[in-house]
Protein backbone atom coordinates (compact mmCIF):
# COMPACT_ATOMS: atom_id res chain seq x y z
CA UNK A 1 0.00 0.00 0.00
CA UNK A 2 1.02 3.58 -0.67
CA UNK A 3 -1.07 6.03 1.32
CA UNK A 4 -1.31 9.42 -0.37
CA UNK A 5 -4.05 11.22 1.55
CA UNK A 6 -6.07 11.05 4.76
CA UNK A 7 -9.22 12.80 5.89
CA UNK A 8 -11.36 12.68 9.03
CA UNK A 9 -15.10 13.33 9.23
CA UNK A 10 -16.99 15.05 12.05
CA UNK A 11 -17.47 11.73 13.88
CA UNK A 12 -13.73 11.14 14.19
CA UNK A 13 -13.69 8.34 11.62
CA UNK A 14 -10.73 8.79 9.33
CA UNK A 15 -10.19 7.54 5.81
CA UNK A 16 -6.82 6.62 4.28
CA UNK A 17 -6.41 6.62 0.49
CA UNK A 18 -4.15 3.90 -0.93
CA UNK A 19 -2.89 5.01 -4.37
CA UNK A 20 -1.19 1.72 -5.18
CA UNK A 21 -4.30 -0.46 -4.89
CA UNK A 22 -6.96 2.23 -5.23
CA UNK A 23 -8.56 1.35 -1.92
CA UNK A 24 -9.95 3.42 0.92
CA UNK A 25 -9.51 2.26 4.52
CA UNK A 26 -11.83 3.63 7.21
CA UNK A 27 -10.84 3.56 10.90
CA UNK A 28 -12.51 4.68 14.10
CA UNK A 29 -10.79 6.93 16.68
CA UNK A 30 -9.33 3.85 18.43
CA UNK A 31 -7.68 2.66 15.20
CA UNK A 32 -10.14 -0.19 14.56
CA UNK A 33 -10.61 -0.98 10.88
CA UNK A 34 -14.24 -0.36 9.89
CA UNK A 35 -14.35 -0.65 6.09
CA UNK A 36 -12.21 -1.21 3.03
CA UNK A 37 -13.67 -0.23 -0.33
CA UNK A 38 -12.65 0.91 -3.79
CA UNK A 39 -10.02 -0.98 -5.76
CA UNK A 40 -7.82 -0.88 -8.86
CA UNK A 41 -9.47 0.30 -12.06
CA UNK A 42 -11.77 -2.25 -13.68
CA UNK A 43 -13.91 0.25 -15.63
CA UNK A 44 -16.36 -0.03 -12.77
CA UNK A 45 -17.53 2.97 -10.76
CA UNK A 46 -15.68 3.19 -7.46
CA UNK A 47 -12.36 1.88 -8.78
CA UNK A 48 -9.29 3.98 -9.58
CA UNK A 49 -6.17 4.15 -11.72
CA UNK A 50 -4.29 6.93 -9.88
CA UNK A 51 -6.22 8.26 -6.86
CA UNK A 52 -4.46 11.30 -5.39
CA UNK A 53 -6.84 13.02 -2.96
CA UNK A 54 -9.78 12.31 -0.68
CA UNK A 55 -12.21 14.71 0.98
CA UNK A 56 -15.46 14.55 2.94
CA UNK A 57 -18.45 16.83 3.49
CA UNK A 58 -19.96 14.84 6.35
CA UNK A 59 -21.40 11.56 5.13
CA UNK A 60 -20.09 11.58 1.56
CA UNK A 61 -16.52 10.93 0.44
CA UNK A 62 -14.94 12.40 -2.70
CA UNK A 63 -11.95 10.75 -4.36
CA UNK A 64 -9.97 12.50 -7.09
CA UNK A 65 -8.43 10.20 -9.71
CA UNK A 66 -5.69 12.07 -11.61
CA UNK A 67 -5.41 9.53 -14.43
CA UNK A 68 -9.15 9.35 -15.10
CA UNK A 69 -9.58 13.10 -14.45
CA UNK A 70 -12.62 12.29 -12.35
CA UNK A 71 -14.09 12.73 -8.91
CA UNK A 72 -15.95 9.73 -7.49
CA UNK A 73 -18.58 10.34 -4.82
CA UNK A 74 -19.19 7.62 -2.25
CA UNK A 75 -22.44 7.70 -0.29
CA UNK A 76 -22.74 5.53 2.84
CA UNK A 77 -24.92 2.45 2.80
CA UNK A 78 -27.39 1.75 5.60
CA UNK A 79 -24.81 -0.57 7.12
CA UNK A 80 -22.13 2.15 7.05
CA UNK A 81 -24.56 4.61 8.65
CA UNK A 82 -25.28 2.11 11.44
CA UNK A 83 -21.56 1.58 12.07
CA UNK A 84 -20.93 5.35 12.14
CA UNK A 85 -23.83 5.85 14.55
CA UNK A 86 -22.51 3.07 16.79
CA UNK A 87 -19.02 4.61 16.80
CA UNK A 88 -20.39 8.06 17.70
CA UNK A 89 -22.67 6.74 20.45
CA UNK A 90 -19.83 4.72 21.93
CA UNK A 91 -17.37 7.65 21.82
CA UNK A 92 -19.87 10.02 23.45
CA UNK A 93 -20.74 7.57 26.23
CA UNK A 94 -24.31 6.83 25.09
CA UNK A 95 -23.78 3.16 25.88
CA UNK A 96 -27.39 1.92 25.93
CA UNK A 97 -28.06 3.48 22.53
CA UNK A 98 -24.73 2.17 21.30
CA UNK A 99 -25.64 -1.41 22.27
CA UNK A 100 -28.89 -1.12 20.29
CA UNK A 101 -27.02 0.26 17.30
CA UNK A 102 -24.31 -2.41 17.42
CA UNK A 103 -27.02 -5.08 17.63
CA UNK A 104 -28.51 -3.56 14.48
CA UNK A 105 -25.07 -3.79 12.84
CA UNK A 106 -24.89 -7.47 13.85
CA UNK A 107 -28.33 -8.07 12.32
CA UNK A 108 -27.02 -6.57 9.08
CA UNK A 109 -23.68 -8.44 9.18
CA UNK A 110 -23.16 -11.21 11.75
CA UNK A 111 -19.44 -11.39 10.84
CA UNK A 112 -18.64 -7.81 11.88
CA UNK A 113 -16.39 -8.60 14.86
CA UNK A 114 -16.00 -4.98 15.95
CA UNK A 115 -19.71 -4.82 16.88
CA UNK A 116 -19.31 -7.74 19.30
CA UNK A 117 -16.14 -6.20 20.71
CA UNK A 118 -17.79 -2.80 21.27
CA UNK A 119 -20.75 -4.42 23.06
CA UNK A 120 -18.26 -6.40 25.15
CA UNK A 121 -16.43 -3.18 26.06
CA UNK A 122 -19.68 -1.56 27.14
CA UNK A 123 -20.50 -4.53 29.39
CA UNK A 124 -16.95 -4.39 30.73
CA UNK A 125 -17.31 -0.68 31.58
CA UNK A 126 -20.58 -1.50 33.35
CA UNK A 127 -18.77 -4.26 35.30
CA UNK A 128 -20.89 -6.99 33.70
CA UNK A 129 -17.81 -9.12 33.17
CA UNK A 130 -19.59 -12.39 32.34
CA UNK A 131 -21.56 -10.73 29.52
CA UNK A 132 -18.40 -8.96 28.35
CA UNK A 133 -16.61 -12.31 28.14
CA UNK A 134 -19.39 -13.72 25.93
CA UNK A 135 -19.14 -10.84 23.45
CA UNK A 136 -15.33 -10.79 23.44
CA UNK A 137 -15.41 -14.51 22.67
CA UNK A 138 -17.74 -13.89 19.71
CA UNK A 139 -15.38 -11.13 18.52
CA UNK A 140 -12.33 -13.38 18.94
CA UNK A 141 -10.91 -10.53 21.05
CA UNK A 142 -8.48 -12.51 23.20
CA UNK A 143 -6.81 -9.65 25.12
CA UNK A 144 -10.13 -8.13 26.22
CA UNK A 145 -11.55 -11.60 26.93
CA UNK A 146 -8.60 -12.24 29.27
CA UNK A 147 -9.16 -8.91 31.04
CA UNK A 148 -12.87 -9.63 31.49
CA UNK A 149 -12.14 -13.17 32.71
CA UNK A 150 -9.64 -11.84 35.27
CA UNK A 151 -12.20 -9.32 36.59
CA UNK A 152 -14.98 -11.93 36.60
CA UNK A 153 -12.80 -14.34 38.56
CA UNK A 154 -11.90 -11.59 41.08
CA UNK A 155 -15.58 -10.76 41.46
CA UNK A 156 -16.48 -14.40 42.11
CA UNK A 157 -13.71 -14.78 44.67
CA UNK A 158 -14.73 -11.58 46.43
CA UNK A 159 -18.41 -12.59 46.55
CA UNK A 160 -17.70 -16.15 47.66
CA UNK A 161 -14.67 -15.61 49.88
CA UNK A 162 -16.58 -16.13 53.16
CA UNK A 163 -18.30 -19.28 51.94
CA UNK A 164 -15.04 -20.63 50.48
CA UNK A 165 -13.13 -20.03 53.71
CA UNK A 166 -15.92 -21.65 55.75
CA UNK A 167 -15.89 -24.73 53.52
CA UNK A 168 -12.09 -24.97 53.69
CA UNK A 169 -12.17 -24.60 57.49
CA UNK A 170 -14.85 -27.31 57.78
CA UNK A 171 -12.81 -29.65 55.57
CA UNK A 172 -9.70 -29.10 57.72
CA UNK A 173 -11.68 -29.68 60.93
CA UNK A 174 -13.34 -32.80 59.48
CA UNK A 175 -9.95 -34.12 58.36
CA UNK A 176 -8.48 -33.59 61.83
CA UNK A 177 -11.46 -35.28 63.54
CA UNK A 178 -11.28 -38.27 61.18
CA UNK A 179 -7.51 -38.53 61.65
CA UNK A 180 -7.90 -38.37 65.44
CA UNK A 181 -10.66 -40.99 65.31
CA UNK A 182 -8.48 -43.38 63.28
CA UNK A 183 -5.53 -42.83 65.62
CA UNK A 184 -7.71 -43.68 68.63
CA UNK A 185 -9.17 -46.66 66.79
CA UNK A 186 -5.69 -47.96 65.87
CA UNK A 187 -4.49 -47.41 69.43
CA UNK A 188 -7.47 -49.32 70.89
CA UNK A 189 -6.96 -52.06 68.37
CA UNK A 190 -3.27 -52.39 69.27
CA UNK A 191 -4.04 -52.34 73.00
CA UNK A 192 -6.81 -54.90 72.57
CA UNK A 193 -4.54 -57.11 70.41
CA UNK A 194 -1.59 -57.09 72.82
CA UNK A 195 -3.77 -58.26 75.75
CA UNK A 196 -4.67 -61.57 74.06
Amino acid sequence: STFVDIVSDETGIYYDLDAKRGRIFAYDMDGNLLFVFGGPATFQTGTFILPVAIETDGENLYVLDLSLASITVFEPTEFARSVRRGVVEYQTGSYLESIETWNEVIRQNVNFDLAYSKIGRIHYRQKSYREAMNFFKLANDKPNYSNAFFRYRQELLRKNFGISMTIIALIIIAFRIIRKYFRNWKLKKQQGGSGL
Side-chain angles (χ1 to χ4, degrees):
S1 295
T2 305
F3 294 105
V4 292
D5 200 5
I6 186 170
V7 67
S8 176
D9 65 17
E10 74 277 356
T11 67
I13 294 174
Y14 57 96
Y15 303 87
D16 290 339
L17 180 61
D18 174 10
K20 187 173 185 179
R21 296 190 178 123
R23 296 183 300 178
I24 301 160
F25 296 84
Y27 300 91
D28 69 7
M29 292 173 70
D30 297 324
N32 297 303
L33 180 64
L34 302 175
F35 317 109
V36 179
F37 54 97
T42 59
F43 302 104
Q44 179 180 348
T45 304
T47 61
F48 309 100
I49 294 175
L50 184 59
V52 293
I54 187 169
E55 190 55 60
T56 181
D57 69 353
E59 276 197 344
N60 297 332
L61 284 175
Y62 303 90
V63 178
L64 172 64
D65 189 312
L66 191 62
S67 182
L68 295 174
S70 67
I71 295 176
T72 303
V73 180
F74 289 96
E75 295 179 4
T77 62
E78 191 56 42
F79 176 73
R81 283 189 180 102
S82 297
V83 170
R84 284 174 50 121
R85 193 168 57 251
V87 167
V88 169
E89 290 166 349
Y90 181 83
Q91 294 294 347
T92 59
S94 303
Y95 296 129
L96 294 178
E97 294 85 357
S98 184
I99 286 177
E100 290 176 20
T101 303
W102 289 118
N103 279 322
E104 176 61 29
V105 168
I106 291 167
R107 279 191 287 281
Q108 294 171 357
N109 179 357
V110 296
N111 296 316
F112 196 71
D113 290 344
L114 184 62
Y116 297 107
S117 187
K118 290 291 188 181
I119 293 172
R121 289 178 189 191
I122 293 167
H123 285 299
Y124 186 88
R125 285 176 179 260
Q126 296 172 338
K127 299 183 182 192
S128 302
Y129 301 119
R130 184 71 182 140
E131 290 83 4
M133 286 168 52
N134 291 335
F135 281 97
F136 289 142
K137 185 175 183 179
L138 290 170
N140 198 27
D141 187 342
K142 292 176 184 177
N144 281 319
Y145 179 89
S146 293
N147 293 336
F149 178 75
F150 176 76
R151 296 289 185 185
Y152 178 66
R153 188 180 61 197
Q154 278 185 326
E155 190 177 82
L156 280 179
L157 288 173
R158 193 172 34 252
K159 284 180 181 177
N160 299 313
F161 183 76
I163 294 170
S164 299
M165 288 296 107
T166 303
I167 290 170
I168 290 171
L170 288 173
I171 290 171
I172 291 170
I173 291 168
F175 178 73
R176 287 185 177 175
I177 290 171
I178 291 169
R179 193 171 68 179
K180 188 175 182 180
Y181 170 78
F182 277 112
R183 273 192 204 153
N184 290 339
W185 179 75
K186 271 178 130 177
L187 190 61
K188 285 182 182 178
K189 190 174 181 183
Q190 286 174 353
Q191 287 173 354
S194 63
L196 291 174

